[in-house]
Amino acid sequence: MCKQLLVLFLVLFINSISPSLATVVEHNTQDWRLADIPPKLIQTQKTEIIFSRVAGEMRAVAELNHNHGFYAYNSSGDYSAMQFGNDYAFVKATALANKPPRYIPDIDRLNDLQKPVYDYLITRQKTPVYQSADSSGRQIASLWANLRYPVVARMIKTDKIGTKTAWLTIRLGDRLGYVHLDDVALDKGIPILTYHHILQDSENKLFRETSTATSVEAFSEQMNYLKQAGYQTLSLQDVEDYLNKSANLPGKAVVLIFDDGLKSVYRYALPILRQNHQQATLFVISSRVKTHPEKWSADSLQFMSKQEIKDSQNVFNIQSHTHFLHRLDNHNSPIIFSRKQHTAMLDFKRSMRLLSHFEPEQRYLAYPFGGYNQSAMDAAKEAGLHLALTTIQGKVKLGDNPYALKRLYAFRTDPLDKFSQMVGNSEQNVVNQNIIIDR
């Protein structure tokens, strides 16, 4: 508890007296590399906390042990930047020692620093980082809890008596570090939770057998669980960065998605999300946006009005669920399957153009009824979209096709322990089968 209070004090102290950290973060730190400014070998005077952006929020992320060398890029302010995961961390310039490090980073004989990221680890607690793959050796740093950190290599080391130990190789401050696999968890992916229709149990007369209709009571319980368990709700931009290996993300993370743009979501989900300070993406069928709000009826599927969408934008990021393609053909199959790529692309672009009045950055698509094929994926890419979501169940993992991302569905009848396993980084893949989307 004392440690947490100390970190909170440090963050508040830095934010209150030194705007230079925020200025450095806003600056495009990639420019330091593009300008070919060589990093400088540094060490801290004592064990030093460093700060980095995690899903866009500045937080304490690690400690550097003194006497150990790291490479940092000088900035014009009070902080120096150093490579940290997929981004940069910042260390106070006054914390750096004016002498060479006692322990110089080992030579990268296997060229591990140049290897691409192939996986992420998740820290569950304060995690030691060692100079070599030997837990009895020197510890160079500690990663703090609740981080997704990129991994560049994995090795099995056998000691003199034949005991095998798994190690993960990471980059930290442009040098190699080693993490004991038993100290962390390997990333099982990011859950994208999808919701459609929300009603109070007492008023739900017609949608009780519809698997994508949930209850206000169940939804509230699930969102409260996420908040109390420390989950951060991510944006789809965060998911894009995760796949592109261009940002750092928390270990406890979830994405919330609402398909169709139904009035029930505005009426019931929005206040719960707002109260919990949670964000979500609203995939809107642009042809069904109402000019004026409709009088509430629990016995029909009603769509949000222009004003209702505007009123919800402090919680929802508005993205496309197509314009006229959210229909079924005479064989009860998504009509997108019978449309040519060019036709689908024009529909996507029309929807994006109309929805840009709410959100100028139209980058993401939810396929209607989850219907997609190669033609639909090509159309999405041609339209300028960056990610597209299917209704195939599962988590989003590194290396997934950005135009065929998986999602998860939580039933209103799911007990909370099942929900916690569904969104958690557990070994077991928990999904709900037989999802029937209301048609």
Side-chain angles (χ1 to χ4, degrees):
M1 179 62 70
C2 292
K3 188 77 168 182
Q4 293 172 336
L5 290 175
L6 175 61
V7 173
L8 177 61
F9 172 77
L10 285 171
V11 174
L12 293 174
F13 179 74
I14 288 173
N15 289 340
S16 63
I17 70 168
S18 182
S20 61
L21 179 56
T23 303
V24 169
V25 171
E26 290 301 320
H27 177 66
N28 182 4
T29 51
Q30 296 292 342
D31 288 347
W32 297 327
R33 294 238 174 161
L34 295 175
D36 291 328
I37 300 174
K40 178 183 177 181
L41 187 63
I42 58 99
Q43 70 163 320
T44 57
Q45 299 182 57
K46 58 181 181 179
T47 300
E48 187 68 26
I49 296 173
I50 60 175
F51 298 82
S52 183
R53 288 170 296 196
V54 179
E57 297 180 2
M58 184 63 67
R59 53 174 270 201
V61 290
E63 288 177 350
L64 303 182
N65 291 357
H66 64 288
N67 291 331
H68 289 280
F70 299 89
Y71 293 92
Y73 299 84
N74 289 330
S75 68
S76 58
D78 299 329
Y79 292 84
S80 291
M82 58 186 295
Q83 174 269 327
F84 184 83
N86 289 329
D87 201 349
Y88 289 85
F90 299 90
V91 57
K92 288 182 290 186
T94 55
L96 304 181
N98 293 318
K99 59 181 180 179
R102 180 178 178 184
Y103 302 116
I104 304 297
D106 292 337
I107 297 174
D108 181 21
R109 291 185 173 85
L110 299 178
N111 208 28
D112 284 333
L113 286 171
Q114 305 305 317
K115 289 182 178 178
V117 172
Y118 86 98
D119 203 353
Y120 290 98
L121 61 81
I122 292 181
T123 57
R124 298 166 293 196
Q125 57 201 2
K126 188 175 179 181
T127 302
V129 180
Y130 296 95
Q131 179 175 303
S132 60
D134 183 358
S135 54
S136 63
R138 297 189 184 97
Q139 184 181 333
I140 64 172
S142 297
L143 299 178
W144 282 28
N146 194 25
L147 284 174
R148 268 182 167 85
Y149 203 90
V151 176
V152 296
R154 181 175 178 175
M155 71 174 75
I156 302 294
K157 188 173 181 180
T158 305
D159 63 18
K160 295 179 180 178
I161 61 175
T163 302
K164 297 181 183 296
T165 306
W167 289 87
L168 303 175
T169 307
I170 66 170
R171 291 175 58 226
L172 175 58
D174 283 313
R175 62 162 296 174
L176 295 176
Y178 299 88
V179 175
H180 198 302
L181 180 57
D182 287 346
D183 291 338
V184 296
L186 291 178
D187 179 25
K188 302 301 187 298
I190 295 177
I192 299 181
L193 280 175
T194 303
Y195 298 91
H196 287 73
H197 196 26
I198 300 179
L199 293 171
Q200 292 182 351
D201 263 335
S202 59
E203 67 182 350
N204 186 357
K205 304 295 193 298
L206 303 179
F207 301 96
R208 300 192 73 84
E209 304 305 319
T210 304
S211 56
T212 53
T214 194
S215 67
V216 176
E217 295 81 0
F219 180 76
S220 178
E221 183 181 45
Q222 291 165 4
M223 295 304 104
N224 289 341
Y225 167 79
L226 293 176
K227 180 180 180 181
Q228 293 165 9
Y231 280 85
Q232 184 172 346
T233 52
L234 302 184
S235 67
L236 285 176
Q237 176 66 66
D238 293 323
V239 175
E240 185 179 351
D241 292 340
Y242 169 84
L243 294 173
N244 292 338
K245 311 171 202 174
S246 58
N248 293 326
L249 297 179
K252 286 190 171 183
V254 64
V255 180
L256 302 177
I257 297 295
F258 294 82
D259 280 5
D260 299 344
L262 295 175
K263 186 180 180 76
S264 68
V265 170
Y266 176 81
R267 182 179 177 89
Y268 293 124
L270 180 61
I272 294 171
L273 296 172
R274 191 172 277 153
Q275 182 178 357
N276 286 343
H277 303 288
Q278 293 164 322
Q279 65 173 321
T281 299
L282 183 68
F283 283 113
V284 174
I285 305 169
S286 52
S287 63
R288 299 184 191 177
V289 177
K290 300 300 179 183
T291 302
H292 303 289
E294 295 181 305
K295 183 180 178 180
W296 171 246
S297 171
D299 294 331
S300 62
L301 287 177
Q302 298 173 295
F303 293 87
M304 291 168 61
S305 68
K306 294 178 181 179
Q307 189 58 51
E308 287 168 333
I309 293 175
K310 288 180 181 178
D311 291 343
S312 68
Q313 283 188 261
N314 64 337
V315 171
F316 292 129
N317 178 259
I318 311 303
Q319 298 293 324
S320 175
H321 201 25
T322 72
H323 189 68
F324 283 140
L325 290 179
H326 199 281
R327 293 183 292 151
L328 300 173
D329 61 21
N330 294 333
H331 303 287
N332 213 34
S333 180
I335 202 169
I336 194 172
F337 290 142
S338 61
R339 295 296 183 262
K340 295 181 179 179
Q341 177 181 324
H342 184 71
T343 303
M345 183 272 294
L346 291 177
D347 183 274
F348 297 163
K349 290 188 74 69
R350 183 175 183 180
S351 179
M352 293 162 65
R353 183 173 65 254
L354 292 171
L355 296 177
S356 68
H357 296 296
F358 305 108
E359 171 52 61
E361 290 291 325
Q362 289 295 306
R363 301 162 66 96
Y364 312 117
L365 171 76
Y367 295 113
F369 307 109
Y372 80 105
N373 52 21
Q374 188 61 51
S375 178
M377 290 190 291
D378 291 342
K381 186 174 183 179
E382 186 180 357
L385 293 157
H386 292 214
L387 303 177
L389 283 70
T390 71
T391 53
I392 297 174
Q393 291 232 57
K395 295 177 181 177
V396 175
K397 299 180 180 179
L398 193 63
D400 283 354
N401 185 337
Y403 296 99
L405 296 184
K406 299 180 177 69
R407 298 195 265 181
L408 291 168
Y409 294 83
F411 289 163
R412 61 182 175 85
T413 54
D414 284 341
L416 206 54
D417 59 345
K418 178 181 177 181
F419 179 80
S420 67
Q421 286 188 335
M422 181 181 293
V423 299
N425 194 59
S426 62
E427 295 290 338
Q428 187 177 1
N429 186 28
V430 179
V431 299
N432 278 318
Q433 304 296 334
N434 303 318
I435 299 295
I436 302 174
I437 300 176
D438 181 75
R439 297 183 175 182

